[in-house]
Amino acid sequence: MSSNSFGKLFTVTTFGESHGPAIGCVIDGCPPGLAISEEEFRQDLDRRATGKSRHTSQRREADEVEILSGVYEGKTTGTPMALLIRNTDQRSKDYGDIASTFRPGHADYTYWQKYGIRDPRGGGRSSARETTMRVAAAVVAKKWLAERHGVRVRGYLAQLGDMAPAGFDWDAVERNPFFWPCEGQVPELEKAMDALRKSGDSVGARVTVVAEGVPPGWGEPVYGKLDGDLAAALMSINAVKGVEIGDGFAAVAQRGSEHRDEMHLDGFTSNHAGGILGGISTGQAVVASIALKPTSSILIPGRSINLAGEPVDVVTKGRHDPCVGIRATPIAEAMMALVLMDHALRHRAQCGDVGVVAPRIP
Ligand code: EPS
């Protein structure tokens, strides 16, 4: 299976299956001299992990990172960093029924059609478990971006089913299990999720991620656009069916006079563009949103076929998320950070001298 690597200068390769012995990644191209310890992975891995509230999958993984290479005396050496997390809470019997049939709406079907073989346990390689390593790799990227450029990447749940935030407070986001920016609505979300779980169904969600402090100039025309790479990165997250940059699809109904971000001597007056023009960062916050589909592994019977070519009804039991979007905020942040890290290095390689040899607008 190819295409398990991501990025040009900051390259992340992930490996492993949900029910295999371990998952891991190799980060190649990390600048030397960055202080990093295994403990620093804890916070973001916990934010993404299952079993942190009753509203997500109850699989309990410790998600302890082992740094196998690329770090000497607490600092990156510039050589490949290998990170490993051992799987400890697989319950493969949950997947006995799925081995010979296909969950409607799940990658079970396309993996089988493509490879003629698949590891059905936990969805194998198509499991959301793989996103653990993206979040781990992004801990390194986030730290370098913050130290070197003052970049801060953070996200929030911007819609859960048909519920939208009634207010906005960044501080509220980390105080509830949904990454929801309006604290007053949390009891309502809890109630809706409890009812949904009882019904055996699932629901979609929208996550927005914002990167502040990105300087102007990151991104490359025309096939290496920052927004193009962001769209691909965000779309590569399990269950993502749509990506928007800035106003995204709302731009369809806007006028030019409304959508353009006017400039004055102190900066831009708005940010409909989501911080990117012509594929290159403007110096404003980079803003992207994703649409996540409702989880396909649900208790409501769905019509499908089995390997013998017979019609079957599929009911998926086990420890599944009734809304994968609830855990997607740290994953979307991770993909944003990985793209920005790669583009920061790419910009430095080609245009590191611009501003020295040619003037920039102050
Ligand atoms: C997942 C199903 C569940 C989740 C898993 C993603 O796994 P299992 O069926 O093995 O209990 O817990 O997510 C993780 C383990 C994780 O770390 O994100 C799926 O079908 O994608």
Side-chain angles (χ1 to χ4, degrees):
M1 197 190 282
S2 55
S3 297
N4 293 287
S5 299
F6 175 80
K8 280 191 177 167
L9 292 191
F10 189 85
T11 307
V12 178
T13 304
T14 70
F15 63 88
E17 280 82 30
S18 180
H19 287 212
I23 50 175
C25 72
V26 175
I27 305 169
D28 206 359
C30 182
L34 181 75
I36 199 90
S37 65
E38 287 173 349
E39 295 73 57
E40 286 174 80
F41 293 88
R42 170 69 24 234
Q43 190 185 2
D44 266 358
L45 289 176
D46 277 354
R47 290 170 73 229
R48 191 218 66 92
T50 50
K52 297 290 168 192
S53 80
R54 67 181 187 276
H55 307 297
T56 62
S57 160
Q58 292 303 298
R59 182 164 157 177
R60 311 252 171 197
E61 289 288 349
D63 285 347
E64 298 280 357
V65 170
E66 293 169 49
I67 302 176
L68 303 184
S69 69
V71 176
Y72 177 66
E73 293 184 339
K75 287 195 171 156
T76 58
T77 57
T79 60
M81 289 178 75
L83 308 179
L84 191 82
I85 293 177
R86 291 176 202 279
N87 290 325
T88 56
D89 185 28
Q90 304 98 320
R91 213 170 66 188
S92 301
K93 66 173 170 40
D94 286 350
Y95 289 88
D97 296 344
I98 304 294
S100 58
T101 188
F102 306 101
R103 285 168 278 185
H106 196 278
D108 289 339
Y109 176 71
T110 46
Y111 271 54
W112 181 264
Q113 291 289 48
K114 184 172 178 66
Y115 298 103
I117 184 169
R118 75 190 157 104
D119 179 352
R121 301 165 307 160
R125 183 73 183 149
S126 71
S127 169
R129 179 110 190 98
E130 185 272 341
T131 61
T132 318
M133 296 322 303
R134 303 170 186 231
V135 172
V139 167
V140 179
K142 278 182 174 178
K143 186 162 187 197
W144 188 86
L145 286 165
E147 285 192 357
R148 194 77 176 72
H149 292 285
V151 170
R152 179 179 196 183
V153 181
R154 51 188 173 164
Y156 59 93
L157 191 60
Q159 198 173 327
L160 177 65
D162 58 7
M163 288 177 283
F168 192 90
D169 175 9
W170 273 119
D171 291 337
V173 171
E174 297 298 325
R175 287 200 296 254
N176 67 80
F178 303 101
F179 300 96
W180 194 257
C182 178
E183 206 144 27
Q185 285 173 293
V186 171
E188 193 189 326
L189 299 189
E190 306 254 15
K191 211 170 138 202
M193 285 308 300
D194 286 341
L196 180 73
R197 205 172 53 251
K198 276 193 198 106
S199 76
D201 214 341
S202 62
V203 75
R206 176 186 179 98
V207 169
T208 297
V209 56
V210 180
E212 288 153 314
V214 176
W218 292 3
E220 295 162 354
V222 291
Y223 299 114
K225 288 183 171 184
L226 184 60
D227 40 2
D229 285 354
L230 269 176
L234 293 167
M235 192 61 104
S236 77
I237 298 171
N238 316 54
V240 171
K241 298 306 273 184
V243 177
E244 292 188 329
I245 307 293
D247 284 4
F249 280 86
V252 173
Q254 293 171 352
R255 300 290 171 102
S257 53
E258 182 191 355
H259 182 82
R260 66 183 178 183
D261 300 313
E262 291 185 288
M263 289 169 273
H264 56 76
L265 291 175
D266 296 329
F268 292 88
T269 56
S270 54
N271 188 12
H272 298 285
I276 302 172
L277 291 171
I280 298 173
S281 60
T282 61
Q284 291 184 279
V286 175
V287 183
S289 295
I290 53 176
L292 295 116
K293 70 178 183 180
T295 323
S296 52
S297 305
I298 54 176
L299 289 167
I300 313 274
R303 281 168 295 174
S304 184
I305 49 172
N306 65 17
L307 283 175
E310 296 157 340
V312 288
D313 271 348
V314 173
V315 172
T316 313
K317 299 189 187 113
R319 306 171 292 183
H320 298 285
D321 295 275
C323 174
V324 277
I326 291 177
R327 291 196 293 125
T329 293
I331 307 166
E333 290 173 3
M335 295 318 287
M336 171 78 90
L338 293 176
V339 170
L340 291 175
M341 177 82 200
D342 192 40
H343 273 283
L345 296 181
R346 284 157 68 172
H347 179 70
R348 185 166 80 167
Q350 189 197 7
C351 297
D353 283 347
V354 177
V356 180
V357 295
R360 278 213 172 91
I361 302 164

